[in-house]
Amino acid sequence: MDDAVPEPPPAAEGEPVHDPAAPAPLNVPRTPTGDAGVDAALDRLGDADHLATDGHVEVYEDVHRGLRDALTALDVRPGPPVPARHPTTTPQRDPSGRPL
């Protein structure tokens, strides 16, 4: 009886060798939001699919920064214009004569 373990057959040339430790895409669907900045940040998440785990942090921080900037931009958008009051030396009054 032969106790030798048979060698696995060699991989055919040109056939990819499966490496379970290699980065693999998660294929998480990303639905467009309609906001170009947010969509670009979410698309950047796909870059993590091709990186080793230690490279994910840089991508996640970049995406987080982009989303935070998009939210901050919402605060600085101008709102509706406020009607301007003309300065006057006399107090303004409504039609009944009361001060405004």
Side-chain angles (χ1 to χ4, degrees):
M1 199 184 237
D2 189 4
D3 289 337
V5 177
E7 291 280 326
E13 201 156 318
E15 187 176 306
V17 177
H18 176 67
D19 180 5
L26 296 175
N27 296 322
V28 175
R30 288 182 290 280
T31 306
T33 65
D35 183 290
V38 172
D39 289 341
L42 294 177
D43 286 344
R44 172 89 165 97
L45 287 173
D47 294 345
D49 287 346
H50 309 289
L51 298 172
T53 317
D54 60 350
H56 290 191
V57 173
E58 181 182 340
V59 172
Y60 295 156
E61 287 177 346
D62 187 39
V63 170
H64 182 256
R65 187 174 27 259
L67 294 174
R68 188 180 57 233
D69 291 348
L71 286 172
T72 301
L74 293 175
D75 290 337
V76 296
R77 287 187 183 163
V82 177
R85 289 185 54 174
H86 297 288
T88 178
T89 56
T90 58
Q92 294 189 354
R93 302 188 178 274
D94 69 10
S96 66
R98 288 180 278 174
L100 293 178

